[in-house]
Amino acid sequence: MATCHISNNIRTLRFFADEMTQQQLADKVGVTRQTIVAIENGKYSPTLELAFRISRVFGKPLEDVFSFDLEDDSTQNSDKKKKGNK
Amino acid sequence: MYFKKEKIILVSLIATLLCLGIYFLYVYFHYIAGHPEILNNFQFWGKTILILIPIMIVVQIVVHILFSIINKILTNEEMPTITDEMDRFIELKALRISHWISPFGFFTAMATQAFGMQPWVMIVTLIATCFAGCIFSEIAKIYFYRKGI
């Protein structure tokens, strides 16, 4: 079974957007600041609509804001076993 | 600092528990104590719950107003007026938990009758699981807000 991990660089993009605050970004995309904090900390994966809204605020394509990693559990487990054997 | 929604949920949960506790203690000492036969009177249970519902609504409204005023004074945080997608998602996940508890309560209530227990045990089981569902859903909301979804 593969596990997916969605990461983002909203914090960096906010910094380069004249130190945009979390509240300003939240107001621009129509969510609460708590949601922006959760997204930045990787505690919540936004819907496609919200992801597009955020990327539009920064004027970047979606891939520049969010990245998607797919990790295969079987591969991870076999790697752990190999490390364990060593 | 920003306003965390789990704060209002926690306050609301405590108010609900206090309200339920005080109300059922009041009902017990004023109606049930000394008259245990009233427990099998379905009209009594109907009235008890019908009176409880508006009391709970009023308590929740008062608690929300008081909390927003006190929170504003103490922390200067604005309570968000919008409900966004994360709120709705957490609401749905919490609702699903309470919906899992409801059928469990129904089957337990039916089981009490199948095993020949008194009818009031069925009513109390139904009421207790209904409130347990609400309380667990609130606890689940706090958990999801803190740990993420």
Side-chain angles (χ1 to χ4, degrees):
Chain A
M1 180 70 187
T3 52
C4 61
H5 179 69
I6 296 171
S7 56
N8 64 79
N9 50 5
I10 294 174
R11 177 70 196 94
T12 315
L13 290 166
R14 279 198 302 109
F15 176 76
F16 287 117
D18 293 333
E19 269 291 349
M20 183 192 286
T21 63
Q22 289 171 331
Q23 187 61 59
Q24 283 170 335
L25 178 60
D27 292 339
K28 282 182 181 174
V29 296
V31 295
T32 59
R33 190 181 161 198
Q34 189 167 18
T35 302
I36 297 295
V37 173
I39 294 168
E40 278 191 14
N41 293 336
K43 287 183 176 178
Y44 173 63
S45 299
T47 59
L48 202 54
E49 185 191 338
L50 181 56
F52 272 114
R53 278 175 192 269
I54 292 168
S55 59
R56 186 169 285 185
V57 166
F58 295 117
K60 300 267 183 190
L62 195 64
E63 308 86 63
D64 288 359
V65 184
F66 294 95
S67 53
F68 176 74
D69 303 314
L70 198 63
E71 290 171 353
D72 195 2
D73 285 352
S74 57
T75 316
Q76 279 183 320
N77 290 337
S78 61
D79 287 348
K80 279 178 188 171
K81 278 178 188 173
K82 279 177 189 173
K83 281 177 186 173
N85 290 335
K86 281 176 186 175
Chain B
M1 282 297 289
Y2 60 96
F3 182 81
K4 291 177 179 167
K5 286 199 175 162
E6 54 261 39
K7 277 201 289 188
I8 183 70
I9 296 167
L10 187 65
V11 171
S12 168
L13 180 65
I14 292 165
T16 304
L17 288 171
L18 277 174
C19 184
L20 280 176
I22 292 166
Y23 182 76
F24 281 115
L25 277 176
Y26 174 83
V27 168
Y28 178 78
F29 286 113
H30 279 77
Y31 299 99
I32 299 171
H35 307 281
E37 68 279 356
I38 204 170
L39 284 171
N40 285 325
N41 184 345
F42 284 83
Q43 195 181 14
F44 161 74
W45 285 110
K47 281 181 181 173
T48 304
I49 297 302
L50 279 182
I51 294 168
L52 175 64
I53 292 165
I55 291 173
M56 292 289 282
I57 293 167
V58 171
V59 165
Q60 289 298 328
I61 291 167
V62 170
V63 163
H64 266 76
I65 293 167
L66 284 176
F67 176 81
S68 56
I69 293 167
I70 293 166
N71 188 61
K72 177 74 184 168
I73 293 165
L74 291 178
T75 62
N76 206 26
E77 291 168 351
E78 287 285 344
M79 268 178 78
T81 49
I82 55 164
T83 304
D84 62 21
E85 60 172 52
M86 191 173 87
D87 299 325
R88 282 193 288 270
F89 197 37
I90 287 174
E91 184 85 38
L92 276 173
K93 287 192 93 169
L95 195 66
R96 194 173 69 168
I97 289 169
S98 74
H99 281 185
W100 273 107
I101 295 169
S102 299
F104 170 76
F106 179 76
F107 287 118
T108 312
M110 292 303 115
T112 61
Q113 296 310 291
F115 289 113
M117 290 179 186
Q118 297 250 344
W120 67 267
V121 181
M122 177 186 73
I123 296 287
V124 169
T125 309
L126 281 173
I127 295 168
T129 48
C130 185
F131 286 118
C134 295
I135 289 161
F136 273 107
S137 105
E138 296 299 295
I139 292 168
K141 277 185 206 170
I142 295 168
Y143 175 80
F144 289 132
Y145 272 116
R146 281 185 167 268
K147 294 284 174 188
I149 43 173

